Amino acid sequence: MPTLIESLGLAAGMLTTFSFLPQVIKIWRTRDVSAISLMMYSAFCLGVFLWLLFGIGIGSISMILTNSVTFLFAASILYLKITME
Amino acid sequence: MPTLIESLGLAAGMLTTFSFLPQVIKIWRTRDVSAISLMMYSAFCLGVFLWLLFGIGIGSISMILTNSVTFLFAASILYLKITME
């Protein structure tokens, strides 16, 4: 794959994966989960878990790594939503 | 690609894409964006836009479609966060 496209994928993966970290920190600091959608994070966690299985299926290290980290962040938000409300 | 893996990718893409819809609806109904992280949706929108360019770059119709729809949902949440707060 061309270097430009690989770089795009790397930048995209870093952004979408680590975008969830400020949301985790915000909830942790404010203890406010009122506006967070339980249905969104339930569906998103399941979806990312399936992307992880897909990554394992095609043997893609980058998909396995980014989806593992995204799953951890999204599952943390789901856990905070369930336990704080 | 084996049918099982293609099916996994399809299910994963539908879940992660449409998971944002209940969040858009929740914000629209409650007018509450207090717990939503501006930094998360700024980084996520940029990341999904780069995934869309990546999809165009590799010529993947499924990546172009799912990332276009995800971008619309995430940008809607970002817009609601900025205008309602």
Side-chain angles (χ1 to χ4, degrees):
Chain A
M1 208 175 280
T3 313
L4 176 67
I5 292 176
E6 280 287 18
S7 307
L8 253 180
L10 192 67
M14 295 296 277
L15 277 166
T16 50
T17 295
F18 288 100
S19 67
F20 289 90
L21 190 56
Q23 181 69 78
V24 176
I25 293 168
K26 186 181 174 79
I27 294 172
W28 189 257
R29 279 195 186 145
T30 61
R31 323 303 280 180
D32 176 17
V33 289
S34 60
I36 302 293
S37 165
L38 177 67
M39 207 190 290
M40 170 187 159
Y41 282 96
S42 304
F44 192 81
C45 282
L46 182 58
V48 171
F49 184 73
L50 295 188
W51 276 129
L52 176 59
L53 296 183
F54 180 92
I56 293 167
I58 65 167
S60 164
I61 298 292
S62 62
M63 282 205 78
I64 293 168
L65 283 178
T66 54
N67 284 299
S68 297
V69 177
T70 306
F71 182 80
L72 283 179
F73 290 148
S76 301
I77 295 167
L78 183 61
Y79 174 80
L80 291 169
K81 171 69 181 175
I82 291 167
T83 55
M84 280 183 184
E85 215 169 43
Chain B
M1 207 176 280
T3 313
L4 176 66
I5 291 175
E6 280 287 17
S7 307
L8 254 179
L10 191 68
M14 295 294 278
L15 278 165
T16 51
T17 295
F18 287 99
S19 68
F20 289 90
L21 190 56
Q23 180 70 79
V24 175
I25 293 168
K26 186 180 174 79
I27 294 171
W28 190 256
R29 278 195 187 145
T30 62
R31 324 301 283 182
D32 177 16
V33 289
S34 60
I36 302 294
S37 166
L38 178 68
M39 207 190 292
M40 170 186 159
Y41 282 95
S42 305
F44 191 81
C45 282
L46 182 60
V48 170
F49 185 73
L50 296 188
W51 276 129
L52 177 58
L53 296 184
F54 180 92
I56 293 167
I58 65 167
S60 163
I61 297 292
S62 62
M63 282 203 78
I64 293 168
L65 282 179
T66 53
N67 284 299
S68 296
V69 177
T70 306
F71 182 80
L72 282 180
F73 289 150
S76 301
I77 295 167
L78 183 62
Y79 174 80
L80 291 169
K81 171 69 181 175
I82 291 168
T83 54
M84 281 183 182
E85 215 170 41

